[in-house]
Amino acid sequence: MDTPYATEISIAIPTIQLATRISKHVLASANKGTIEKAEDLSPVTVADFAIQAYLTKVLSSSFPTDSFVGEESAAALRDNPDLLQRVYDVIHECVDEVSSSSNDKNESHAVIAEVVKRGAPESKDQVCELVDRCGDGGKDGLGADSGRTWVFDPIDGTKTFVCGEQYAINVALLEGGKQILSVVACPLLSRKATAPVGNASVFKGDDDEDGEEGCIVYAVRGFGAYVRPLFVGQGSGLTMCASESLKRHADGVTVSGLRSVSCWNTPGSGVDDAHKAATERLGVEFPGSDLLGWVPRWVTLALGLANMTVWVYKRRDRYAKIWDHAGAMLLFEEVGGMITDVDGKEIDLTKGRKLTGNFGFVAAPRSVHHVVLKAVRQTLKEQGKEALLTAA
């Protein structure tokens, strides 16, 4: 991809590959260090903390004037020395593995190894500092004068991750609160996957004749979206390989060509019966692909395994988190998708950590987005949920 952001991509791809190595290392452990966050009781693991620290270390070393936003804070690490030690150790173990196996005579291997080494924290105190650099980011918003900001979701889909099911690692670059670049790793989703995709649809490298494992999907605004294998060959080595340009499959789609991805029948924040009724109102099979994590859903839309999703929160005061959507939404937009909230407003990332300017999501091919939005709003009215269509 020939873009002004070639340097950022060349650094982000090996960085997200090493982050995946960290996730796989933790996933193979019987004890994943899972704890519950005090604010919402959602799970967080050693991998969440380690990947956020690692991503911040590499990208802040590479782009020292940039800002960072991430999901996790280091409070739990400071309260739990054993957990902090595990986080520090897993980063160094994975960095050392790649560094020791790199071939200095191979130029691309040497470049990758150099990037990877930037992520090794110098101390456990620095691990906490790196995590909190993201955890404190974006609290004052990300307006037009906010400059360049990297947004991370170290593990999107932690509940499914700990079960060995679908998850993603999300890396996004914003400029003045606008999506510029997206790099997403889906360790258990093949670029060759077919719909429908579910949380348990796990695709491993040994299932593929070419030895491919997982995928990386990335995009730069105005330059299209691309996909490549996450790893190729034995040993999950970090390698550069050819990428495939994703077709603009959402261009010109009619209602009869709509295919859904959602998160169905899982206790949470959404109005399941409204999602189902609105989708079936359009004559579209529901749920179609069924995934817990938002980032895997956006990737599914980018890959053409689906081309629409709707999400209505149970309350008007429930807001999306920026790390679940920033960058990943760009992947769908770059293949012809359009994304608004349930009120028809453009998604506003300038609000910062919580998207307080929007309510829910409606994503569909640009050609039929207005039809899908109308179906969602009519469904809510017919179900007596008009309060969800009016700002509190």
Side-chain angles (χ1 to χ4, degrees):
M1 181 194 291
D2 184 16
T3 81
Y5 296 89
T7 298
E8 284 83 350
I9 291 172
S10 69
I11 292 172
I13 286 179
T15 302
I16 210 168
Q17 285 181 301
L18 194 282
T20 301
R21 289 282 290 264
I22 294 172
S23 74
K24 292 174 68 177
H25 193 289
V26 174
L27 194 57
S29 173
N31 179 3
K32 298 171 179 58
T34 307
I35 61 174
E36 289 184 341
K37 299 179 192 177
E39 61 270 25
D40 60 6
L41 301 183
S42 62
V44 59
T45 70
V46 168
D48 296 82
F49 292 120
I51 291 172
Q52 184 163 304
Y54 177 77
L55 293 173
T56 307
K57 181 69 162 61
V58 173
L59 291 168
S60 63
S61 299
S62 305
F63 308 104
T65 62
D66 290 356
S67 300
F68 298 87
V69 174
E71 181 172 5
E72 313 304 341
S73 78
L77 296 180
R78 292 189 173 93
D79 292 340
N80 189 332
D82 291 339
L83 182 62
L84 175 57
Q85 184 69 55
R86 288 191 63 192
V87 170
Y88 178 83
D89 288 346
V90 74
I91 298 173
H92 277 272
E93 287 169 13
C94 292
V95 169
D96 290 346
E97 285 174 8
V98 171
S99 299
S100 62
S101 64
S102 65
N103 181 356
D104 291 338
K105 295 181 180 180
N106 183 306
E107 184 177 352
S108 66
H109 287 185
V111 170
I112 290 171
E114 192 279 326
V115 169
V116 165
K117 290 176 183 177
R118 298 177 199 172
E122 298 167 11
S123 66
K124 287 177 283 186
D125 284 343
Q126 189 181 48
V127 169
C128 293
E129 292 167 6
L130 291 164
V131 171
D132 275 343
R133 184 169 178 180
C134 288
D136 292 334
K139 291 182 177 179
D140 297 324
L142 297 169
D145 59 351
S146 61
R148 287 172 37 125
T149 303
W150 294 89
V151 179
F152 307 139
D153 193 340
I155 298 286
D156 182 62
T158 302
K159 290 180 181 178
T160 42
F161 167 72
V162 297
C163 298
E165 297 180 343
Q166 290 292 341
Y167 68 100
I169 300 169
N170 188 30
V171 174
L173 176 62
L174 311 184
E175 289 188 0
K178 302 292 185 182
Q179 300 175 106
I180 297 297
L181 179 150
S182 170
V183 181
V184 174
C186 290
L188 301 177
L189 181 65
S190 170
R191 67 189 180 107
K192 303 173 185 178
T194 56
V197 178
N199 293 312
S201 301
V202 176
F203 187 97
K204 298 180 180 179
D206 53 9
D207 298 328
D208 182 80
E209 61 183 13
D210 298 320
E212 294 186 6
E213 183 176 346
C215 69
I216 295 174
V217 186
Y218 62 98
V220 173
R221 179 169 295 283
F223 289 87
Y226 294 77
V227 63
R228 53 151 284 171
L230 177 53
F231 300 119
V232 181
Q234 297 297 317
S236 298
L238 276 59
T239 58
M240 296 295 187
C241 66
S243 299
E244 173 188 353
S245 175
L246 292 173
K247 296 179 180 178
R248 290 183 60 88
H249 62 81
D251 283 343
V253 172
T254 62
V255 171
S256 64
L258 289 172
R259 290 175 293 160
S260 169
V261 59
S262 190
C263 176
W264 169 241
N265 204 25
T266 300
S269 61
V271 186
D272 277 354
D273 61 335
H275 304 156
K276 185 175 188 292
T279 302
E280 293 180 344
R281 184 188 198 103
L282 296 162
V284 179
E285 183 178 351
F286 184 86
S289 291
D290 185 5
L291 294 163
L292 176 69
W294 261 110
V295 177
R297 280 182 254 173
W298 292 121
V299 169
T300 298
L301 290 163
L303 293 176
L305 301 172
N307 55 21
M308 68 160 282
T309 191
V310 301
W311 195 259
V312 182
Y313 289 111
K314 292 177 180 178
R315 305 193 317 266
R316 285 291 307 197
D317 60 355
R318 176 67 185 254
Y319 303 114
K321 311 288 180 53
I322 192 171
W323 44 81
D324 291 331
H325 306 281
M329 294 187 297
L330 178 63
L331 301 174
F332 185 46
E333 293 173 344
E334 286 296 308
V335 296
M338 180 177 178
I339 305 165
T340 69
D341 68 5
V342 173
D343 298 324
K345 297 190 296 184
E346 181 181 350
I347 304 301
D348 180 5
L349 300 177
T350 68
K351 300 298 183 181
R353 298 177 69 82
K354 290 187 178 182
L355 308 186
T356 57
N358 296 106
F359 176 68
F361 294 89
V362 176
R366 184 170 293 275
S367 53
V368 294
H369 182 277
H370 64 290
V371 179
V372 177
L373 178 62
K374 182 178 180 180
V376 172
R377 295 181 66 81
Q378 287 180 335
T379 297
L380 291 172
K381 290 178 182 178
E382 291 175 3
Q383 291 184 343
K385 300 180 174 75
E386 293 93 337
L388 294 177
L389 296 174
T390 304

